Amino acid sequence: MIKETNGIRGGRRGPEQLDLFDRKILGALAEDALQSYAVLGKAVNLSPPAVHERVKRLRRSGVMKGAHAALDGTALGKPLLAFVHVEAAGWGKSERLMQLCRFPEVEEMHSVAGDASVIFKVRTGSPRALEAFLSQVHAVPGVTGTKSYVALSTYLERPVQAEMTSDWPEYPLPA
Amino acid sequence: MIKETNGIRGGRRGPEQLDLFDRKILGALAEDALQSYAVLGKAVNLSPPAVHERVKRLRRSGVMKGAHAALDGTALGKPLLAFVHVEAAGWGKSERLMQLCRFPEVEEMHSVAGDASVIFKVRTGSPRALEAFLSQVHAVPGVTGTKSYVALSTYLERPVQAEMTSDWPEYPLPA
DNA sequence: GGTGAAACAGTCGCTGA
DNA sequence: TCAGCGACTGTTTCACC
């Protein structure tokens, strides 16, 4: 006989709900993934092994996919950030278009609903490099046009946040 | 007398150029910020203390700003990703608009050149929550309209890459 | 999930080139 | 002056309560 120690159903696996401890741990790791389990445990009132156990579980379940260094694009020689909207005849997502992801300048690629088929987020070293990317996009069969939005200032750029505003409509604007 | 051992000028400090070792280290840390200096050193053929010294220097100079955990939006209960373009009368960037960054659903905010003043990247739990965000945007004085691009699929989403394609125009499409 | 101990890696000082 | 080596400190991680 199987003892049900996991809450509701013993057989449930995968999309298990996250409790407040998990949210706090994930939020702290999203801010700084390099802090030790000791300080992490202090922040959430848990022992280091307990934190470690939860982090391992969160990584296994796929909620936390890893940790990445945050690099400064300008310092790396890529001061130009742009969002490129691609309009295409028919179904925009083609194998040919996805090959553009090979370029290290491309950071994101989404297919979207709206008056665009695909949106690229591109960080280049110069307007010339952005032009070269656009020429590559236009060389893809089916592409009918592009619209580029060059970032003048970036006021916020952060990873996925663990918190949610529980009830949006009534949520007050924070002071 | 000061010996010039740092390449060109001994007195230069701050925006020092990155050599191939730095690029490799940064690239490896962008992929996985949690790997030890030992394996990092093996990857770039450097001793662990040497790698550590370089990482410290890169953090001081601001090229590497930190490390963040990569969380899965869907697993966190935020399956809906959207880019919201804000059109505003006059200069779009207002203090009132920047307060929207307080919402954890907002991940990016850029002022851009093009037929939009500001672009938000928003990750919400439901269409209802996105609607609530849009209502907050429209409540900001000066905002004349919004255009939302809801992501249907995300084909690529990665941090700033350390590599650059040295010469874009002639760069061949990778197979 | 908490407590202890062992294994491990990060960190500093030293030596050699 | 810089890279490689060894000892100390702190963290990770395991077995047990």
Side-chain angles (χ1 to χ4, degrees):
Chain A
M1 184 175 180
I2 296 177
K3 185 103 174 294
E4 293 187 6
T5 59
N6 281 338
I8 313 299
R9 287 281 176 274
R12 193 189 4 77
R13 271 294 172 271
E16 60 250 7
Q17 73 260 6
L18 306 168
D19 63 7
L20 198 59
F21 283 126
D22 292 325
R23 293 268 175 190
K24 281 186 182 176
I25 292 172
L26 290 173
L29 287 175
E31 256 194 68
D32 180 10
L34 266 46
Q35 53 190 318
S36 71
Y37 292 135
V39 308
L40 217 52
K42 276 191 180 179
V44 301
N45 278 326
L46 238 55
S47 70
V51 175
H52 179 239
E53 189 60 38
R54 281 170 179 271
V55 171
K56 271 197 300 185
R57 183 169 52 81
L58 290 167
R59 302 197 91 203
R60 271 199 310 271
S61 69
V63 179
M64 176 180 170
K65 283 172 289 185
H68 306 284
L71 308 182
D72 186 84
T74 302
L76 277 167
K78 299 199 266 190
L80 196 67
L81 174 66
F83 293 91
V84 176
H85 290 211
V86 179
E87 300 157 29
W91 179 224
K93 181 249 174 184
S94 66
E95 203 53 49
R96 183 72 175 67
L97 200 59
M98 292 203 61
Q99 289 186 5
L100 295 178
C101 295
R102 308 270 185 136
F103 291 113
E105 278 81 2
V106 176
E107 290 180 11
E108 298 184 25
M109 174 182 173
H110 315 269
S111 71
V112 297
D115 55 12
S117 296
V118 171
I119 293 182
F120 284 100
K121 182 183 179 185
V122 194
R123 201 182 299 267
T124 62
S126 65
R128 185 75 188 84
L130 177 59
E131 184 184 17
F133 172 74
L134 289 174
S135 79
Q136 295 282 354
V137 173
H138 280 278
V140 175
V143 170
T144 57
T146 60
K147 273 191 185 176
S148 298
Y149 299 86
V150 176
L152 305 172
S153 294
T154 292
Y155 297 109
L156 184 73
E157 196 169 20
R158 62 185 181 189
V160 183
Q161 300 293 292
E163 312 94 52
M164 300 180 67
T165 58
S166 49
D167 247 326
W168 259 69
E170 287 76 35
Y171 198 85
L173 257 183
Chain B
M1 185 174 182
I2 295 177
K3 186 104 172 295
E4 294 187 6
T5 59
N6 279 337
I8 313 301
R9 286 281 177 274
R12 198 196 350 83
R13 270 295 171 269
E16 61 251 8
Q17 75 258 8
L18 307 168
D19 62 7
L20 198 58
F21 284 125
D22 292 325
R23 292 270 174 188
K24 281 186 182 176
I25 292 172
L26 290 173
L29 286 176
E31 256 193 68
D32 181 10
L34 267 47
Q35 52 190 317
S36 70
Y37 292 135
V39 308
L40 217 52
K42 277 192 179 179
V44 302
N45 278 325
L46 238 55
S47 70
V51 175
H52 179 238
E53 190 59 39
R54 281 170 180 270
V55 171
K56 270 197 299 185
R57 182 170 52 82
L58 290 168
R59 302 198 93 206
R60 272 200 310 271
S61 69
V63 180
M64 177 179 169
K65 282 173 291 186
H68 305 286
L71 308 181
D72 187 83
T74 303
L76 278 167
K78 299 197 267 191
L80 197 67
L81 173 66
F83 293 90
V84 176
H85 290 211
V86 178
E87 301 157 30
W91 179 225
K93 182 247 176 185
S94 65
E95 204 54 49
R96 183 72 175 68
L97 201 58
M98 292 204 61
Q99 288 186 5
L100 296 177
C101 294
R102 307 271 185 135
F103 291 113
E105 279 81 2
V106 177
E107 292 181 9
E108 298 184 24
M109 175 182 172
H110 314 270
S111 72
V112 296
D115 55 10
S117 295
V118 171
I119 293 182
F120 284 101
K121 182 182 178 185
V122 193
R123 201 182 299 269
T124 63
S126 65
R128 184 76 188 84
L130 177 58
E131 184 184 16
F133 172 74
L134 289 174
S135 78
Q136 296 281 356
V137 173
H138 280 278
V140 174
V143 170
T144 57
T146 61
K147 272 190 186 179
S148 298
Y149 299 86
V150 176
L152 305 172
S153 293
T154 292
Y155 297 110
L156 184 73
E157 197 169 19
R158 62 185 180 190
V160 183
Q161 301 292 292
E163 311 95 51
M164 298 182 67
T165 59
S166 49
D167 247 327
W168 259 70
E170 288 75 36
Y171 198 85
L173 257 183

